[in-house]
Amino acid sequence: MHFQPTGPSSSHKQVAFHRTELGVILGLYGRMVAAGEWRDYGISHLSDVAVFSVFRRTAENPIYRIEKRPKLRDKKQQYAVIGMDGRILKRGDDLKTVLRVLERKLIRAVD
């Protein structure tokens, strides 16, 4: 797993996923690992965005990024799923709804 260093030594406030958000994301992650689609993840907490990156193999670029940008909350676009090519696959204000774009891929993987 890949982690961005965070802690008391950082001088600025960072965006992070809440426990309930991580529960939703890790639930999907576990199902995708069980289906053999995903193998690793990384979490980054930056000043304006929290990112949960999903990897097919450890030593490669992420195949998906799940981002949380609180500054976009008023536009109802706080969460986004971004593909490997940088394209936004889904954006919205409800994490479960946004993650459905990846759930469809799980259904195809199980068929």
Side-chain angles (χ1 to χ4, degrees):
M1 287 170 243
H2 310 273
F3 291 100
Q4 182 81 13
T6 60
S9 64
S10 59
S11 60
H12 55 83
K13 188 171 176 137
Q14 295 177 324
V15 175
F17 290 105
H18 295 287
R19 182 178 294 174
T20 54
E21 293 167 330
L22 277 176
V24 171
I25 294 169
L26 289 172
L28 172 63
Y29 176 79
R31 291 189 301 278
M32 293 300 256
V33 167
E37 292 294 306
W38 298 351
R39 293 199 65 185
D40 202 3
Y41 71 89
I43 300 175
S44 299
H45 298 143
L46 307 172
S47 61
D48 61 339
V49 62
V51 181
F52 186 98
S53 300
V54 177
F55 299 86
R56 189 165 281 141
R57 288 176 206 83
T58 304
E60 65 179 25
N61 292 327
I63 54 174
Y64 299 107
R65 291 188 333 262
I66 301 164
E67 294 188 354
K68 174 184 176 182
R69 293 183 182 269
K71 288 183 180 179
L72 297 177
R73 184 180 300 141
D74 292 341
K75 294 182 180 181
K76 300 192 183 292
Q77 297 182 349
Q78 177 174 220
Y79 301 105
V81 173
I82 301 169
M84 184 185 314
D85 58 359
R87 201 167 28 113
I88 297 171
L89 304 177
K90 183 82 173 167
R91 178 175 268 165
D93 64 339
D94 180 64
L95 181 59
K96 289 180 183 180
T97 302
V98 171
L99 291 179
R100 283 188 195 142
V101 71
L102 298 175
E103 291 278 356
R104 285 189 223 124
K105 295 181 186 310
L106 177 62
I107 292 167
R108 280 190 223 126
V110 173
D111 284 346

